[in-house]
Amino acid sequence: MIAVLDWLEPWDDDFLPAFWAAKRAMLKAAEEAMGRHGVREGQQFILMALWREDGLSPGEIARRLGLATSTVTRAATRMVRSGLLERRPHPSDARLVNIHLTDRGRDLRDDLNAEMRRLSERALAGFTTEQRAEFRRSLERLHDNLSH
């Protein structure tokens, strides 16, 4: 068992404590990697959505990422303050805004992709190619099991 979780020994099921510890370690490592570029952990996914298609509404970003619109709106507000994004009026509905990358947000693409690759390599060190593929499939299945 993971040493950090020794205090959880009375639990009959060791999956959730192990998953929780791995999730926390991944989030901490991702926070450090993204933070080197002035991006808070999680914001890279908003950037990724906009790198694919710039000028989306907060609601559309939320739908694509499986998040609440309010979560995207709060993150976008922080990202506007840090110079990664800008809000522009919707072209046909004055009540709405679209989110656009700034030059800085656009320029981070290669650096953040490299950080994500390094983070994946670090997390999966010691896994064979087959084990990596099986692990990804297992995570997808876990997601599917919990999403229905």
Side-chain angles (χ1 to χ4, degrees), residues 39-122:
V39 175
R40 293 177 68 165
E41 201 291 313
Q43 292 178 348
Q44 73 269 29
F45 298 106
I46 293 172
L47 290 170
M48 289 167 69
L50 294 171
W51 291 331
R52 182 172 290 227
E53 185 178 349
D54 200 10
L56 298 172
S57 70
E60 181 58 25
I61 295 169
R63 187 188 67 73
R64 291 180 185 197
L65 298 178
L67 299 171
T69 301
S70 60
T71 300
V72 171
T73 300
R74 279 192 306 276
T77 297
R78 286 190 298 270
M79 294 170 80
V80 166
R81 281 196 304 260
S82 65
L84 298 168
L85 305 177
E86 63 183 9
R87 287 186 170 91
R88 295 184 199 160
H90 188 278
S92 61
D93 189 339
R95 298 168 298 166
L96 301 176
V97 297
N98 286 347
I99 307 294
H100 292 266
L101 294 161
T102 61
D103 288 342
R104 180 169 176 256
R106 206 172 292 103
D107 291 345
L108 282 174
R109 184 177 185 157
D110 290 342
D111 290 339
L112 293 186
N113 277 328
E115 290 286 0
M116 296 283 276
R117 278 192 305 277
R118 283 191 294 273
L119 182 57
S120 291
E121 283 304 314
R122 182 176 163 203

Side-chain angles (χ1 to χ4, degrees), residues 1-2 5 8-9 11 13-23:
M1 183 179 290
I2 300 168
L5 301 177
L8 289 173
E9 243 176 79
W11 285 52
D13 182 0
D14 61 357
F15 169 75
L16 285 176
F19 183 83
W20 182 76
K23 174 188 161 199

